[in-house]
Amino acid sequence: MPYAQINGTELYYEDHRTPPATSISSPAHTDSPTPANSPVPTALFLHGWGTSAHAWDAQTAGLAPDFRLVTVDWRGCGRSAHPATGNTVAANVADILALIDALSLDRPVLVGSSMGATFALEAALQAPDRIAGVVSVDGSGYWPLEGMADQLAELRTGLATDRAATLAAWVPTWFGPAASPELIDGTIRLTLASGTHIDALFAEGALPDPRHTLGGLTVPALFLHGDLDHIPAEVSRTLADLAPQGEFHLLENTGHMPHQERPAQVNALLRTALRQMSPRAALQP
């Protein structure tokens, strides 16, 4: 299994590389296939709180033939180490940037779901020269500081007193009607298996308010949001308006996890975004 020692923490990752002799685009996807020796657009996928890189299985299956895709279980989650310290936004952003260097990723697009979108935006603000763009999939944005303040206080108490029951009640609300019971049950199991130390990310004041910083974002940013998400779509729409190169897209009939509920729709949007945000796109006439 591939692991990387990143900032003293063992992180599990998977690197889905396009074979060098394979064109990144087939005629079915574009009118102008890219030559095989062109740089391959790269994406680094960041899952949401408590889950794992398995959340992106439909994306790696659908997009890996055309792109280099890297998925990672961030610290405290999935198959990565579960350290008692460093479970902060800043530490996770540092992990992302160090992993980019360790794997020699050429200005990847960061694709983040929920809290993973928070990490992605913060990393792009910190190191825009090393990141080509950001795709936020139902990012929580400023909502935990406003609309979820009371809920987060109750959640912290519930996780500390009866974690299993709290997650069994909360995780199903992440999904819309397109999600199967098997998907929901599997997500509950994944979240239970992650470390309790990641609860520190829900501490009061632990999450940044991106409204104060997004005006300085110098890379393109696409904000996707399910219309049935418990986080209002207006959150992503607001962030897209604040980002100088922001774009918003509403996904219909899906909840907080559209990449799992509506993978074909999300993959089509990702395919376009990866091509447009890739460093090689700037070199094309």
Side-chain angles (χ1 to χ4, degrees), residues 19-32:
T22 302
S23 170
I24 69 164
S25 302
S26 66
H29 297 142
T30 180
D31 294 331
S32 303

Side-chain angles (χ1 to χ4, degrees), residues 25 28-30 45 56 58-64 66-67 69 111 135 137 222 224 247 249-251 258-277:
S25 302
H29 297 142
T30 180
F45 286 81
W56 301 110
Q59 282 63 58
T60 56
L63 299 174
D66 297 322
F67 305 99
L69 308 179
V111 183
V135 180
V137 183
L222 172 63
L224 308 179
E247 180 182 345
H249 191 99
L250 184 68
L251 301 167
H259 49 298
Q260 294 184 284
E261 294 181 60
R262 303 287 184 188
Q265 184 180 7
V266 171
N267 285 1
L269 292 166
L270 287 176
R271 184 179 297 280
T272 299
L274 292 182
R275 289 201 185 110
Q276 292 177 343
M277 294 179 183

Side-chain angles (χ1 to χ4, degrees), residues 42-44 107-112 120-121 123-124 127-128 130-136 217-222 245 273-274 276-279:
T42 301
L44 174 57
R107 293 195 66 209
V109 174
L110 300 184
V111 183
L121 287 170
R130 294 154 68 188
I131 292 163
V134 173
V135 180
S136 168
L217 187 67
T218 59
V219 301
L222 172 63
Q245 300 178 66
L274 292 182
Q276 292 177 343
M277 294 179 183
S278 168

Side-chain angles (χ1 to χ4, degrees), residues 5-62:
Q5 285 291 335
I6 302 294
N7 296 326
T9 301
E10 191 172 58
L11 298 185
Y12 176 87
Y13 71 94
E14 294 182 356
D15 191 344
H16 304 264
R17 294 171 180 262
T18 300
T22 302
S23 170
I24 69 164
S25 302
S26 66
H29 297 142
T30 180
D31 294 331
S32 303
T34 302
N37 60 354
S38 295
V40 177
T42 301
L44 174 57
F45 286 81
L46 308 169
H47 60 82
W49 181 88
T51 61
S52 78
H54 279 307
W56 301 110
D57 284 351
Q59 282 63 58
T60 56

Side-chain angles (χ1 to χ4, degrees), residues 175-216:
F175 295 92
S180 67
E182 293 77 17
L183 174 58
I184 296 172
D185 289 345
T187 304
I188 293 172
R189 289 195 299 271
L190 272 177
T191 311
L192 272 173
S194 290
T196 60
H197 302 305
I198 60 172
D199 297 356
L201 286 160
F202 291 139
E204 190 173 352
L207 298 175
D209 187 339
R211 291 174 296 185
H212 301 318
T213 54
L214 270 184

